[in-house]
Amino acid sequence: MTEPDRVRRGFWATLLRWRAPIVLIPLILGLGYSGTVGAQMLWAEVQPDPPPAPIVTCWNDAVEAADECPTPTGVPGLRWAFPSFKPGSAACKPVVYPDNGNPRPLEYTCRQRISGTRATVNYSERSDLERGLNYFANRYDGIRPARTGAGTRVVYRDPSPRKDGTYELTVAYTAYPFAVSVRAVNERLRDAVLSDVVTFRPERFMLVQPPERPRQDG
């Protein structure tokens, strides 16, 4: 037998010996893949449905699923965001903007008296959240805002008087288009109005009414 014949016979003998493993390897891999996919599908099938959203009382007294409560808006929404806002009082008047075709904020100016000195508080619902935040950033250009309300609001305090001689600050929610601005004859009175007069709705209760506190006897 020639050398080439011996090589060919050796090659075919080796191929025959490895034929079964070569055939079995793809089969085993295929079964493993099918088992993995099947297990994943079975696991996906037995996953429980997510629990439904709890039924709550929304800010507007509607009883809905928690994820169905609407966003506060209008005078009732402004009143909800700022419990200190009293739109029906003689001290509060709506701000009237000229109709130039552009969206305008809903805004009220309320007179306040503190330590015998007059101050003003402006409550507003901006026409758009992002535009409102940009407006205040431009109005207080160069002033870095501080965070308050567990990070849910920003505060701009201007250390310089405005053209009319008053000192101004603004607090704006970062997730809702509500803001309040305070003006007074000096910084001390301005800050006092903010801390003693203006009240804010916690963001976690902006859409949902807080649970009633249990009554205590005695």
Side-chain angles (χ1 to χ4, degrees):
M1 180 182 297
T2 63
E3 186 64 26
D5 290 336
R6 284 197 297 270
V7 171
R8 282 194 295 271
R9 288 186 62 182
F11 169 76
W12 287 110
T14 302
L15 183 61
L16 289 173
R17 285 198 304 269
W18 284 94
R19 180 176 62 182
I22 291 173
V23 173
L24 287 174
I25 288 172
L27 180 60
I28 293 171
L29 292 176
L31 289 173
Y33 173 77
S34 300
T36 301
V37 172
Q40 290 176 346
M41 294 178 64
L42 179 62
W43 176 252
E45 290 175 358
V46 300
Q47 289 298 305
D49 293 331
I55 301 301
V56 298
T57 302
C58 302
W59 70 274
N60 59 354
D61 292 329
V63 178
E64 302 277 3
D67 54 4
E68 295 293 330
C69 289
T71 300
T73 189
V75 175
L78 194 60
R79 174 73 178 86
W80 177 256
F82 300 105
S84 55
F85 172 46
K86 303 294 189 289
S89 71
C92 293
K93 301 294 182 184
V95 177
V96 179
Y97 289 97
D99 185 6
N100 58 5
N102 296 322
R104 309 301 298 178
L106 170 67
E107 189 168 357
Y108 277 73
T109 295
C110 301
R111 300 188 307 274
Q112 298 289 336
R113 188 169 284 276
I114 185 168
S115 301
T117 303
R118 292 178 59 183
T120 59
V121 180
N122 276 39
Y123 298 97
S124 66
E125 178 190 3
R126 316 311 295 183
S127 60
D128 178 84
L129 174 60
E130 185 176 356
R131 282 199 297 268
L133 292 174
N134 288 337
Y135 167 78
F136 292 120
N138 291 330
R139 181 173 179 81
Y140 295 93
D141 186 31
I143 298 175
R144 185 175 181 177
R147 287 274 181 170
T148 188
T152 62
R153 301 186 294 269
V154 289
V155 184
Y156 289 94
R157 281 185 170 86
D158 195 340
S160 303
R162 294 285 170 174
K163 292 182 178 179
D164 61 359
T166 61
Y167 289 79
E168 183 182 90
L169 65 74
T170 293
V171 184
Y173 285 91
T174 58
Y176 295 93
F178 300 116
V180 60
S181 298
V182 179
R183 283 190 175 192
V185 295
N186 57 53
E187 294 178 86
R188 182 184 61 81
L189 288 174
R190 177 199 64 185
D191 293 349
V193 171
L194 178 65
S195 62
D196 298 345
V197 176
V198 180
T199 55
F200 298 86
R201 182 74 56 186
E203 186 180 281
R204 66 184 183 277
F205 296 130
M206 190 64 79
L207 302 182
V208 177
Q209 293 191 23
E212 294 184 3
R213 295 181 177 179
R215 296 182 60 184
Q216 296 181 356
D217 295 331

